[in-house]
Amino acid sequence: MSELTKLTIAEARDLLRAGDVTAVALTEACLSAIDAADALNAFVHKTPEIALDRARAADARLAQGDAPAMCGIPVGIKDLFCTEHVPTQAASRILEGFRPEYESTVSAQLRDAGAVMLGKLNMDEFAMGSSNETSVYGNAVNPWRAGNDGAALTPGGSSGGSAAAVAADLCLAATGTDTGGSIRQPAAFTGIVGLKPTYGRCSRWGIVAFASSLDQAGPMTKTVRDAAIMMQAMAGHDPRDSTSADIAVPDFEAMLTGDIKGKTIGIPREYRMDGMPAEIEALWQQGAEMLREAGAKIVDISLPHTKYALPAYYVIAPAEASSNLARYDGVRYGRRAKLAQGDGVTEMYSKTRAEGFGHEVQRRVMIGTYVLSAGFYDAYYNRARKVRTLIKRDFETVFDEGIDAILTPATPSAAFPLGQMSDADPVSMYLNDVFTVTVNLAGLPGIAVPAGLDAQGLPLGLQLIGRPWAEGDLLNAAYALEQAAGFVSKPARWW
Amino acid sequence: MSIDRDTAAKVASLARIRVEDDALPALAEEFNAVLGFIEQLNEVDVEGVEPMTGVTPMRLKRRQDAVTDGDMQDKILSNAPDAREGFFAVPKVVE
């Protein structure tokens, strides 16, 4: 296996600019790694011709000088991003054969910055899942294994293919999206960095919608510095998304000083869950100690409505999904069911949606339909939106009291075996997002940083939560944590 | 609040998802598991709290009320399961 695929974005950028490596060589190395890693089922639509065309163009641009940081960097794109004339299915049967006539704003910005798209990445269907097991493409597989146990583990979800691809060095970085933890949980399960920016930092235009008030795109990378570089290229105002913020995007990489002296980091007591594994608790305390040694002040804080975040999320997200997914009707794009003699439009809709949507998506669309239906709208949907206001207020209160960032575990466990949760109640799968979902409800930036290994040798992550629009400061705190934790482990190659 | 088989059938119909009769009891049970979890929200005192409409306080931008794109019938129909003579085709709607 070529060493080139192991490079970080920052290292590759410097080598490309110095002329020590070409974008074509880097891209070819990634394409070979991808072809040798079908067992991970991370890349589900490979685009080698597009990749090599873009790599050649990137080399030409680099030769002229003043190419942007992402120029010539091979990346994977989550299947949720519409990519022009390249299959885009959101890992769903209902979008079989869909080839968008347009490019999402985020993937277009990466393309225009010279990034090389290697292909589309596996994910949970419509980003609904925490284990990548709801995908029409089948499970993505975690490159990590527990000790000598050969059992296949989940890479997490919904951005499971992105996480597996970056952790296995199939690409230098990947895009993800995060509605309740779908960037941060898979990043933690695979020992990589995942950043969900402030709601509105990235345009949602051209990203298949799940829950529009919660969805955000973000980078999944090998290091915090890479997250800063890639975030820079993905962020910015877009007139085609009315919720994308028209505020300046700072130079995130320039803010990585590693100096957090005088910063105040909050430790929320409500995140200390009953039954939390001792290893996670210990890692959390070590993380706080590392930040203290780096000069930060560590204080206990309270976010009293934390417990209600998941139940509120499981009203709001399905409600928005039921509305967003109403467009999949078998008329304008995607799959249409075979109809029987005499079937009308209603049968066309209901048969198409029954065979096109997987079980979890059907369940969430129907839950959403129920909580929005006449007679239940106030009891469920409006109540959940009021609780959301209270959850956001909890964060505003601690930020007003001088907290700069909040440290929590990223996940309640390490990666679990694929299939382990198949007979479980749906709610037990939802608990994976217990530490991440508050951040989406409050619209805040959050980042998962790999911080250690558990007794089985599996990666564990910590999460830092920042003030709105303060991704630069958040990345700098994450950088300090990354330096102190010194996480360098890689999965042993078995695929 | 408990969802019975008839309510499950009604929700499936509202969502335009065909569910076979023999699958309804299991579906009702799944709904009840999720709704049981959601019921916790009733413990929260939300008196006088405004329901959130947007997470980021912002004023929506205005723009000129002008046509900014169009004339792309081929592109719009290119992914249709059934397109004929420049239209989306569907089963007969009106008898």
Side-chain angles (χ1 to χ4, degrees), chain A residues 400-431:
Chain A
D400 285 348
E401 287 164 3
I403 297 295
D404 294 295
I406 296 165
L407 181 73
T408 79
T411 56
S413 73
F416 49 87
L418 287 160
Q420 181 179 279
M421 308 284 277
S422 55
D423 296 325
D425 173 287
V427 171
S428 41
M429 185 67 99
Y430 299 168
L431 293 175

Side-chain angles (χ1 to χ4, degrees), chain A residues 345-404:
Chain A
V345 272
T346 306
E347 288 80 11
M348 181 190 69
Y349 297 150
S350 59
K351 286 183 176 178
T352 295
R353 291 161 66 80
E355 68 174 46
F357 290 146
H359 190 72
E360 179 65 23
V361 172
Q362 291 193 16
R363 179 161 57 210
R364 293 204 202 182
V365 166
M366 289 192 272
I367 293 281
T369 303
Y370 181 74
V371 300
L372 290 175
S373 64
F376 300 104
Y377 187 91
D378 270 325
Y380 289 112
Y381 184 62
N382 268 343
R383 175 168 281 270
R385 291 197 302 140
K386 289 176 184 173
V387 172
R388 187 176 180 188
T389 299
L390 294 172
I391 288 165
K392 183 170 183 238
R393 199 177 287 169
D394 285 352
F395 283 102
E396 286 167 348
T397 304
V398 298
F399 289 139
D400 285 348
E401 287 164 3
I403 297 295
D404 294 295

